[in-house]
Amino acid sequence: MDPQTPVVILCGGKGTRIREASESLPKAMVEIGGRPIVWHIMKTYREHGFRRFVLCLGYKSWAIKEYFLDYRARSADFTLSMSDRHRIDFHNGVDEDWEITFAETGLETATGSRVRRIAPYVDTEHFFLTYGDGVGTVDITALAKEHEQSGKTGTVTGVHPTSKFGEMQVDGDRVVEFNEKPTQVTGFVSGGFFAFRREFLDTYLGGPGDDDVWLEHEPLQRLARDGRLNVHRHEDFWSAMDTFKDYEHLNKLWARGEAPWRIWE
């Protein structure tokens, strides 16, 4: 897939189920190891060669804009010459080579409608799409290759979520095994990390002025019915940050140096 393929990230959510960590932040800005989760997602894509991003903004969008506008100042030493038009000389710090488009897609807009609104910024045959609240060891390179080879309109990454409950194996009315720790669900669910042909924007996401098209409802259901939806099977680590417990778990993994999604130096 073309290295200029844009990565569209849904960043409009409020994070109401993780309020302890996101009371005053959009969900995409909740931090893992001192960096917003959206930063972790962007680092993953960049490691696979993709550097153009389109952020679909909504709730408290300025917090996301401000973070990236001040990105270098947050991490580098610099000298501020206040008598010289506030000239800033940076001395170090890593500069990402990302190109980021910040798209205001509405405060209450549904996910599919948000994606349709950024259509003018998708100038390639394909584009990636993901949610701004999940990390994983998803092989983006393999996802792109499978998507192109399939010839389908869309490809969704299928993951095995971790059960939040203890798992029991039973024989009749007898429990033969009880697993206290969470185990993986055997079936697949959508883990986000989509790849689409551009035609998806014009054919499946409704018309202008419709703010209530949910990506997960009619668009993807119709795409599947049409036989135009492929799956990239991901058998390794994946986690959404839906609850405060998820937030604590991901931060503990990062603090211990055991974050499996960290594939960059």
Side-chain angles (χ1 to χ4, degrees):
M1 201 176 284
D2 187 339
Q4 292 300 305
T5 300
V7 180
V8 179
I9 306 178
L10 292 163
C11 299
K14 299 179 182 180
T16 54
R17 287 189 293 174
I18 192 170
R19 190 162 296 172
E20 297 94 329
S22 66
E23 186 71 41
S24 60
L25 293 171
K27 192 175 183 183
M29 288 300 294
V30 177
E31 294 184 347
I32 302 174
R35 296 279 195 171
I37 190 170
V38 68
W39 177 89
H40 292 260
I41 296 167
M42 294 164 75
K43 291 288 282 187
T44 298
Y45 276 95
R46 184 63 188 97
E47 202 61 21
H48 287 273
F50 301 100
R51 53 174 292 275
R52 296 181 65 204
F53 299 94
V54 180
L55 306 188
C56 298
L57 307 180
Y59 178 69
K60 295 196 174 181
S61 60
W62 177 246
I64 298 175
K65 292 179 177 179
E66 186 176 41
Y67 177 82
F68 288 104
L69 284 170
D70 293 341
Y71 187 83
R72 193 174 183 188
R74 289 172 178 269
S75 58
D77 296 345
F78 61 87
T79 299
L80 172 64
S81 299
M82 299 182 68
S83 61
D84 187 12
R85 300 182 184 179
H86 277 66
R87 191 185 81 243
I88 300 175
D89 296 314
F90 289 98
H91 305 300
N92 54 22
V94 177
D95 282 332
E96 307 288 356
D97 64 348
W98 300 340
E99 176 188 301
I100 309 172
T101 298
F102 300 87
E104 294 285 355
T105 57
L107 185 60
E108 301 292 343
T109 312
T111 50
S113 298
R114 289 188 191 279
V115 177
R116 190 189 63 249
R117 289 188 178 188
I118 57 82
Y121 304 120
V122 177
D123 54 3
T124 54
E125 183 181 356
H126 303 272
F127 68 98
F128 294 104
L129 170 67
T130 193
Y131 302 104
D133 63 354
V135 291
T137 55
V138 178
D139 188 339
I140 304 298
T141 300
L143 166 64
K145 183 177 180 180
E146 290 176 21
H147 173 64
E148 286 190 296
Q149 290 179 343
S150 75
K152 300 291 179 66
T153 301
T155 298
V156 57
T157 298
V159 302
H160 299 295
T162 299
S163 171
K164 299 181 185 301
F165 306 98
E167 181 187 57
M168 296 186 298
Q169 294 186 19
V170 300
D171 180 8
D173 59 0
R174 183 172 67 93
V175 176
V176 295
E177 185 176 346
F178 186 93
N179 298 312
E180 180 182 2
K181 293 184 179 180
T183 56
Q184 281 193 334
V185 175
T186 55
F188 282 104
V189 300
S190 169
F193 293 93
F194 300 92
F196 290 105
R197 292 184 177 274
R198 198 192 182 286
E199 65 193 51
F200 180 71
L201 295 170
D202 303 319
T203 308
Y204 288 89
L205 295 179
D210 187 351
D211 293 342
D212 298 320
V213 178
W214 291 96
L215 176 70
E216 305 78 12
H217 297 168
E218 177 63 18
L220 290 179
Q221 292 171 11
R222 181 181 156 204
L223 198 63
R225 290 196 302 268
D226 291 348
R228 302 296 299 164
L229 184 60
N230 189 47
V231 63
H232 168 66
R233 297 170 182 264
H234 177 65
E235 305 283 354
D236 204 354
F237 176 86
W238 174 89
S239 177
M241 190 162 61
D242 284 331
T243 66
F244 188 67
K245 186 175 181 179
D246 297 330
Y247 164 81
E248 290 184 311
H249 174 63
L250 292 173
N251 272 280
K252 285 177 182 177
L253 287 176
W254 186 270
R256 295 198 301 259
E258 298 174 1
W261 68 91
R262 182 172 184 170
I263 58 174
W264 56 90
E265 292 298 327

